[in-house]
């Protein structure tokens, strides 16, 4: 469960959106107040930037951050505004209460949370002067601690060395990041972590030394507890496993940072910790909750000490046991699972009832907050949202799929969660109920079809969730996806209408709503994976038509990208150039490509998503299509760089900063393998046939990815991530399988053939948690469909037909149109990687009469011209 997604659900009921978009509640006075004529104002993301028109700031240096609480933010901003304007010092600030809340929310980024105002001193002397003078003016004001910075005194001022200007570099892991310059001039990442640190070449000014010494005074040395490991972090604090050194009892320590980790009711982490302490004290003696051991304060942070529960989260056990995710589960397995699930739910209900008898509303019941002891007994944990039933208002904390309606109060909040759990244990898609009211009955009916679960068990759940007549209500409701040509045409029309209806051409950050990655980096709304390029590509190749106005939007924004826009194929401008050319905008495509060629790409990672493999493939594509010498030479230069850094077959590929940690088509060595295969196909017509050295390189890369794979007991092969295995297209085994198939078309290899077959088995399970192309059912449909002629896949392979039907589980109806949820299933998405456009592309691969697929992997799309292969690549073995 990725907690980053929750704050992107606050703005729109159907789509992920940047938390501040369109929100005007609680603007600070200065947000709309005019500046003096000699000043400039600029909106930059969530910030309002103010600077003197004639100011010349250094590109980097010591900058000052000011934190604030909701109740003192306006007065703090008044003080900073007057101080900086009178002294002509550049600064920026968050414009309103919404953005301030989000900067301090429970799952805000720990490296940047707490920052309300940033002040940019021109040099160290001015930095000291501002800290001294402004510190005196703000003395005694409260604010959350800024973890990435060094605190100045006991007030809300903090300082760190970092970038002032928008400069970017490629990190050791091959990712584009904001940069600072070393003394040599080389750009390196400007690291913002949850602890204060300086670049190694920067010396701490003398005026900051006492404050660094003060920050190091607080230690855990004198505590009667030995902390053994961290279990979890949020912006509100940490969760640690430890030992009481006096009794040797194992305990859990929960940390709460004051004024940080805000929830929508305005409560900070300390307030919620006190709620938990009050609840556990009231529940003392119950075996279904952890025992309360202690509480204390250290360095201004509050701590709660609880009994350590030996056990595993219900969610973790559920994932291991769930029969539809297995290939070899028989009727007995389904019956055994049903008996286990019914018993677990009974225990959870009984535990909740015991808590209710003490007058406590839990407020946050879900599968991560239920532990199963080794003997199977249930324990409820995490009472931060708990309250007295007589005082309970609306729900404050809730996990996706277990959130009560806004009008629910008291014990009804927990009863709603228990009803969700009834369905979740048999079909874990209850998060969709918030997106489509008909889902409760539909999911219950599907659960009853799959499992021998008593009808009344699911009837009661549906009645609680919807208030209607139970599982039979609305039996004909819900979307239908039929695995035949007429069903495909209806679905294509409906999904296309949904995508187009969701378009927002008036916006500059994105055209189609998609994943939160649209907002993670500059230009995120443009690219193939999550931006407009991918959506327009999917619409065109599936026969859904062209949209000139939307293509114009993409051209305008691609020709003038934001500083820091990525260069890669799926995450940046190379993919945009590919799509513009595909749509016939050749001149504009070349302009975008020329911008890419002028950037520093050499240190990017090797992967297909944002790295050298995708760039090399795109340059090869343009070189062929345009007969362009510059693209040709650069493509070969990129391929040589990938070959030089690839590493051996028996180890992970090397990047500029060490080993590459991931596998799969988009993130692992399969991307380089695909690049070498396409180079080999070019070389088939050059000289005396294809160059075997290129196949050798592709084989090396594929072996690197296969080393990260695990052959499961059911005969399927998936990527082994240590704590789970992954079958998916982007970072799982199915993407590797696609490239294995491409390799086997040129050279026989028994090990690769066996692996390809085992990976095809991984694509044949009857349940995947998400519908999307990169990490869900759609990716399985695309992979399996590539083995069949266009338009025939579902008719030839009953598994593909079943996958199409299973997409009904995820499909939602929005204003009468068919749409699909994105990552985490909290909101609908229209993008290629996670949403409706990706599902459309996969269905097109199965049903469309013309070859349909991803670039460089689509059946029937092969290079038409030759490229010479450099001797250096040919000779590499």
């Amino acid at each position: 469960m990725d907690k980053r997604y929750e704050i992107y659900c606050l703005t729109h009921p159907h789509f992920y959106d940047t938390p501040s978009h369109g929100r005007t509640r609680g603007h600070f006075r200065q947000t709309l107040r005019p500046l003096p004529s000699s000043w400039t104002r600029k909106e930059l993301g969530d910030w309002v930037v103010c600077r003197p028109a004639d100011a010349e700031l250094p590109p980097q240096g010591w900058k000052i951050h000011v934190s604030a609480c909701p109740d003192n933010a306006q007065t703090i901003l008044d003080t900073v505004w007057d101080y900086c304007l009178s002294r002509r010092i550049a600064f920026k600030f968050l414009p309103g209460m919404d953005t301030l809340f989000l900067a301090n929310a429970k799952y805000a980024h720990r490296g940047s949370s707490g920052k309300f105002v940033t002040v940019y001193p021109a040099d160290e002397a001015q930095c000291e002067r501002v800290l001294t003078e402004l510190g005196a003016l703000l003395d005694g004001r409260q604010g959350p601690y800024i973890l990435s910075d060094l605190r100045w005194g006991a007030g809300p001022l903090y300082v760190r060395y970092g970038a002032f200007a928008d400069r970017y570099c490629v990190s050791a892991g091959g990712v584009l990041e904001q940069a600072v310059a070393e003394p040599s001039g080389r750009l390196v990442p400007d690291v913002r972590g949850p602890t204060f640190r300086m670049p190694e070449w920067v010396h701490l000014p003398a005026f900051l030394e006492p404050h660094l010494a003060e920050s190091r005074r607080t230690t855990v040395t004198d505590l009667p507890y030995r902390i053994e490991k961290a279990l979890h972090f949020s912006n509100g604090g940490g969760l640690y496993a430890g030992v009481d050194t006096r009794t040797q009892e194992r305990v859990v320590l929960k940390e709460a940072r004051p004024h940080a980790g805000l929830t929508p009711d305005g409560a900070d982490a300390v307030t919620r910790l006190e709620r938990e302490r009050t609840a556990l004290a009231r529940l003392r003696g119950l075996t279904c909750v952890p025992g309360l051991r202690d509480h204390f304060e250290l360095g201004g942070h509050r701590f709660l000490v609880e009994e350590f529960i030996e056990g595993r989260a219900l969610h973790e056990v559920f994932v291991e046991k769930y029969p539809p995710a297995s290939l070899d589960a028989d009727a007995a397995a389904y019956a055994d699972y049903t008996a286990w699930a019914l018993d677990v739910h009974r225990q959870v209900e009984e535990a909740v009832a015991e808590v209710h008898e003490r007058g406590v509303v839990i407020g946050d019941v879900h599968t991560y907050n239920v532990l199963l002891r080794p003997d199977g007994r249930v324990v409820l944990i995490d009472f931060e949202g708990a309250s007295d039933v007589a005082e309970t208002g609306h729900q404050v904390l809730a996990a996706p799929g277990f959130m009560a309606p806004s009008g629910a109060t008291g014990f009804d909040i927990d009863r709603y969660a228990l009803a969700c759990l009834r369905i979740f244990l048999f079909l874990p898609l209850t998060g969709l109920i918030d997106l489509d009211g008909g889902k409760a009955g539909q999911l219950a009916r599907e659960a009853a079809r799959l499992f021998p679960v008593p009808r009344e068990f699911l009837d009661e759940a549906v009645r609680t969730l919807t208030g209607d007549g139970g599982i039979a209500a609305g039996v004909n409701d819900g979307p239908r996806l039929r695995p035949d040509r007429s069903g495909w045409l209806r679905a294509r029309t409906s999904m296309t209408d949904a995508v187009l209806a969701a378009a927002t051409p008036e916006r500059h950050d994105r055209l189609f709503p998609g994943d939160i990655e649209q907002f993670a980096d500059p230009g995120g709304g443009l690219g193939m994976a999550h931006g407009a390029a991918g959506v327009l590509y999917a619409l065109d190749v599936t026969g859904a038509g062209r949209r000139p106005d939307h293509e114009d939007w993409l051209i305008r924004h691609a020709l003038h990208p934001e500083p820091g826009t990525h260069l890669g194929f799926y995450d940046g401008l190379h993919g945009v150039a590919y799509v513009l050319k595909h749509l016939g905008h050749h001149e504009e495509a070349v302009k975008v490509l020329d911008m890419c060629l002028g950037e520093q790409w050499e240190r990017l990672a090797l992967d297909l998503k944002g790295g050298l493999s995708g760039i090399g493939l795109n340059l090869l594509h343009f070189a062929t299509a345009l007969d362009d010498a510059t693209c040709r030479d650069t493509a070969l230069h990129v391929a040589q760089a990938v070959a030089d850094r690839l590493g051996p077959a028996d180890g992970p590929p090397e990047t500029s900063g060490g080993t590459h940690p991931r596998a799969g088509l988009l993130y692992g060595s399969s991307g380089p393998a695909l690049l070498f295969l396409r180079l080999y196909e070019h070389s088939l017509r050059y000289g005396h046939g294809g160059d075997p050295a290129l196949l050798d390189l592709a084989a090396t890369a594929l072996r690197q990815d296969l080393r990260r794979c695990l052959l499961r007991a059911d005969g399927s092969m998936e990527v082994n991530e240590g704590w789970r295995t992954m079958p998916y297209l982007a970072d799982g085994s199915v993407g590797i399988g696609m490239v294995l198939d491409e390799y086997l078309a040129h050279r026989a290899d028994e090990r690769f053939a066996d692996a390809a077959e085992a990976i095809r088995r991984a694509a044949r399970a009857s349940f995947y948690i998400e519908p999307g192309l990169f990490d869900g059912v759609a990716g399985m449909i695309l992979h399996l469909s590539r083995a069949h002629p266009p338009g025939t896949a579902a008719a030839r392979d009953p598994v593909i037909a079943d996958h199409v039907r299973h997409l009904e589980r995820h499909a939602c109806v929005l204003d009468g149109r068919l749409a699909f949820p994105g990552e985490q299933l909290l909101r609908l998405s229209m993008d290629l990687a996670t949403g409706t456009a990706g599902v459309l592309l996969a269905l097109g691969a199965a049903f469309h009469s013309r070859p349909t697929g991803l670039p460089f992997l689509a059946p029937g799309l092969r290079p038409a011209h030759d490229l010479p292969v450099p001797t250096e690549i040919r000779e590499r073995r």
Side-chain angles (χ1 to χ4, degrees):
M1 188 163 57
D2 190 336
K3 292 292 188 177
R4 296 178 305 153
Y5 282 78
E6 292 186 11
I7 63 172
Y8 290 90
C9 296
L10 299 177
T11 300
H12 198 283
H14 299 126
F15 303 117
Y16 295 121
D17 207 341
T18 182
S20 61
H21 178 74
R23 305 187 72 160
T24 59
R25 180 180 66 85
H27 269 167
F28 299 115
R29 287 189 290 268
Q30 290 79 2
T31 301
L32 302 176
R33 179 180 294 174
L35 286 164
S37 59
S38 59
W39 282 69
T40 65
R41 177 197 299 266
K42 179 182 178 182
E43 292 187 9
L44 186 65
D46 289 337
W47 297 90
V48 177
V49 182
C50 306
R51 60 183 297 173
D54 57 353
E56 292 186 10
L57 290 175
Q60 62 196 50
W62 290 97
K63 53 186 177 181
I64 299 166
H65 292 117
V66 188
S67 68
C69 301
D71 60 356
N72 66 11
Q74 182 62 73
T75 58
I76 286 177
L77 183 56
D78 290 342
T79 300
V80 177
W81 173 278
D82 292 341
Y83 179 88
C84 289
L85 258 62
S86 64
R87 291 161 179 81
R88 300 185 63 77
I89 301 173
F91 65 101
K92 68 179 182 181
F93 64 93
L94 294 174
M97 285 295 184
D98 285 327
T99 48
L100 177 63
F101 163 75
L102 295 167
N104 296 321
K106 184 176 181 181
Y107 288 101
H109 187 273
R110 296 172 68 230
S112 59
S113 69
K115 298 172 183 177
F116 172 47
V117 183
T118 304
V119 180
Y120 297 96
D123 51 36
E124 287 188 9
Q126 189 176 66
C127 181
E128 180 180 11
R129 188 161 57 251
V130 172
L131 287 168
T132 302
E133 295 173 353
L134 191 57
L137 293 172
L138 296 175
D139 186 42
R141 307 291 174 86
Q142 298 295 308
Y145 199 103
I146 299 175
L147 297 174
S148 63
D149 289 24
L150 177 63
R151 189 176 191 180
W152 176 266
L157 296 189
Y158 297 78
V159 62
R160 70 177 289 268
Y161 188 94
F164 287 17
D166 284 327
R167 298 190 293 179
Y168 295 86
C169 71
V170 179
S171 71
V175 178
L176 196 68
E177 295 185 9
Q178 192 164 26
V180 292
E182 294 178 329
S184 66
R186 186 172 75 97
L187 294 177
V188 296
D190 181 12
V191 178
R192 298 172 180 83
T195 57
F196 172 67
R197 57 168 289 182
M198 299 179 296
E200 59 184 17
W201 70 89
V202 174
H203 298 289
L204 188 73
F207 63 86
L208 292 178
E209 290 176 357
H211 302 274
L212 180 60
E214 180 64 29
S215 72
R216 293 173 173 172
R217 290 184 185 278
T218 301
T219 69
V220 298
T221 305
D222 296 330
L223 288 180
Y225 303 101
R226 182 176 68 251
I227 296 177
E228 296 189 327
K229 66 177 180 178
L231 301 175
H232 173 71
F233 285 108
S234 75
N235 188 37
L239 183 69
Y240 309 92
V243 173
D244 187 328
T245 57
R246 299 162 297 187
T247 64
Q248 301 307 308
E249 180 191 15
R250 298 181 69 190
V251 294
V252 168
L253 294 90
K254 299 191 72 170
E255 174 193 25
R257 300 201 303 123
H259 314 300
L262 302 181
T263 44
D265 63 343
D268 67 355
V270 171
T271 301
R272 294 196 306 278
L273 195 74
E274 183 61 25
R275 289 174 183 168
E276 179 152 6
R277 184 170 77 90
T278 300
L280 291 181
R282 193 166 179 175
L283 299 173
R284 198 183 301 275
L286 296 182
T287 60
C288 62
V289 302
L292 178 63
R293 297 293 185 258
D294 193 7
H295 63 95
F296 61 90
E297 181 177 332
L298 180 68
H301 294 197
R302 304 290 182 84
F303 288 82
L304 198 64
V305 184
E306 302 176 10
E307 170 193 6
F308 181 90
I309 302 297
E310 189 70 47
R312 300 169 67 199
L314 171 57
H315 195 94
E316 182 182 347
V317 180
F318 159 80
V319 169
E320 289 182 359
K321 288 179 171 288
Y322 192 59
S326 173
L327 291 173
D328 53 10
D330 55 16
Y334 277 78
D336 290 345
Y337 173 84
T338 300
W340 172 83
L342 291 173
D343 178 66
V344 166
H345 191 274
R346 175 190 58 79
Q347 288 193 64
V348 174
E349 277 196 321
E350 291 174 353
V352 171
E354 288 188 73
V355 173
H356 286 181
E357 287 175 1
R358 302 279 182 100
V360 174
V361 177
I362 301 169
D364 195 19
V365 177
H366 59 84
T367 55
Y368 286 97
N369 282 351
V370 175
L371 296 185
L372 296 180
R373 296 183 187 269
D375 62 5
R377 288 180 298 144
V378 158
V379 178
L380 306 177
I381 63 170
D382 199 346
F383 285 78
E384 287 188 8
S387 61
D388 186 298
V389 65
E391 302 172 357
T392 299
H394 301 297
Q395 191 172 26
V396 175
L397 296 173
F402 296 87
M403 183 178 296
S406 59
T409 59
F411 292 147
D412 285 345
I413 293 172
D414 294 341
R415 294 184 183 118
Y416 189 93
L418 290 171
C420 290
L421 184 61
R422 287 182 179 236
I423 295 177
F424 183 96
L425 286 169
F426 297 99
L427 201 61
L429 301 174
T430 50
L432 302 179
I433 295 173
D434 287 339
L435 296 175
D436 184 338
K439 279 295 174 185
Q442 180 192 351
L443 295 177
R445 290 190 294 274
E446 180 71 354
R449 185 185 70 81
L450 292 171
F451 294 91
V453 58
R455 180 188 180 92
E456 59 272 18
F457 181 85
L458 296 172
D459 265 339
E460 183 176 339
V462 176
R463 283 194 294 270
T464 300
L465 297 177
T466 67
D468 63 20
I471 190 172
V475 71
N476 295 318
D477 294 343
R480 292 290 179 265
L481 286 168
R482 294 294 177 250
D484 53 38
R485 179 164 177 77
S486 63
W488 151 242
L489 293 175
R490 287 194 298 272
R492 182 177 68 179
T493 298
S494 186
M495 293 164 69
T496 300
D497 289 346
V499 169
L500 298 178
T504 55
E506 72 280 2
R507 290 179 61 158
H508 296 289
D509 55 344
R510 56 98 159 139
L511 176 58
F512 300 104
D515 191 73
I516 67 172
E517 292 298 327
Q518 292 183 325
F519 312 113
D521 297 293
L526 301 180
M528 280 286 290
H530 305 296
V535 175
L536 296 177
Y537 172 81
L539 292 174
D540 183 63
V541 299
T542 58
R546 299 274 299 277
R547 298 300 182 275
D549 54 334
H550 293 161
E551 293 171 21
D552 288 344
W553 185 97
L554 181 59
I555 291 169
R556 290 196 310 274
H557 291 82
L559 291 178
H560 303 282
E562 294 181 65
T565 298
H566 287 199
L567 301 177
F569 188 81
Y570 279 100
D571 70 350
L573 293 174
H574 269 280
V576 174
Y578 178 96
V579 171
L580 290 179
K581 178 189 167 297
H582 171 84
L583 296 173
H585 302 289
H586 299 287
E587 181 179 350
E588 293 83 357
V590 170
K591 288 181 180 178
V592 174
L593 193 67
D594 285 343
M595 283 193 290
C596 295
L597 293 175
E599 297 293 332
Q600 298 297 313
W601 50 262
E602 288 84 353
R603 293 181 61 212
L604 288 171
L606 304 187
D607 61 78
L608 178 60
K609 181 184 179 184
L612 296 185
S613 297
I615 289 173
L617 283 162
N618 193 46
L619 289 168
L620 200 61
H621 172 73
F622 271 88
T624 301
L626 304 179
D627 193 24
D628 183 274
T630 299
C631 288
R632 176 185 298 117
D633 293 343
T634 310
L636 297 174
H637 184 36
V638 171
Q640 187 65 62
V642 175
D644 290 342
R645 291 164 51 189
L646 184 63
D650 59 352
E654 294 180 357
T655 69
S656 58
T659 58
H660 195 296
R662 302 182 71 176
L665 177 64
L666 264 67
Y667 297 98
S669 298
S670 293
L674 184 61
L675 173 61
F676 294 128
L677 286 170
R678 294 294 169 257
L679 274 170
Y680 173 77
E681 291 173 351
H682 278 284
S683 74
L684 282 173
R685 297 181 185 178
Y686 178 78
H688 300 287
D691 190 325
L694 293 166
L695 289 182
D696 293 343
L697 284 165
T700 295
L702 285 167
R703 290 189 187 104
Q704 289 175 350
D705 264 4
L706 289 176
R707 284 188 72 250
R708 299 185 183 90
C709 292
L710 175 72
L711 190 65
R712 293 165 55 95
D714 59 12
S716 65
M717 180 176 283
E718 298 184 1
V719 169
N720 182 13
E721 294 189 345
W723 61 285
R724 64 178 180 181
T725 61
M726 297 289 280
Y728 301 116
L729 185 151
D731 52 1
S733 57
V734 160
I736 301 170
M738 288 183 170
V739 185
L740 283 171
D741 290 343
E742 300 277 353
Y743 179 92
L744 291 168
H746 296 292
R747 177 189 281 176
D749 186 300
E750 184 176 356
R751 180 193 172 194
F752 284 2
D754 290 345
E757 180 55 35
I759 289 170
R760 276 189 286 274
R761 283 185 58 79
R764 304 176 83 84
S766 63
F767 181 81
Y768 302 94
I769 192 66
E770 292 181 357
L773 184 66
F774 281 12
D775 291 292
V777 184
M780 309 304 165
I781 294 172
L782 177 64
H783 177 49
L784 296 175
S785 295
R786 296 175 74 238
H788 305 286
T792 68
R796 288 169 174 256
D797 188 341
V799 173
I800 296 175
D802 283 343
H803 281 339
V804 174
R805 295 187 188 96
H806 293 160
L807 280 171
E808 291 182 359
R809 299 166 178 168
H810 298 90
C812 296
V813 176
L814 177 63
D815 297 329
R817 307 177 183 101
L818 190 62
F820 286 86
E823 188 86 8
Q824 304 294 304
L825 307 181
L826 301 179
R827 291 293 185 267
L828 301 175
S829 169
M830 300 300 166
D831 71 27
L832 180 73
T834 70
T836 306
V839 175
L840 180 66
L841 184 81
L843 294 176
F847 296 107
H848 193 37
S849 57
R850 299 181 63 184
T852 304
L854 290 172
F856 319 124
L857 281 165
L861 297 181
R862 292 292 184 265
H865 302 290
D866 306 325
L867 277 181
V869 180
T871 302
E872 305 95 290
I873 295 181
R874 278 197 243 123
E875 291 178 350
R876 186 176 177 87
R877 293 292 188 269

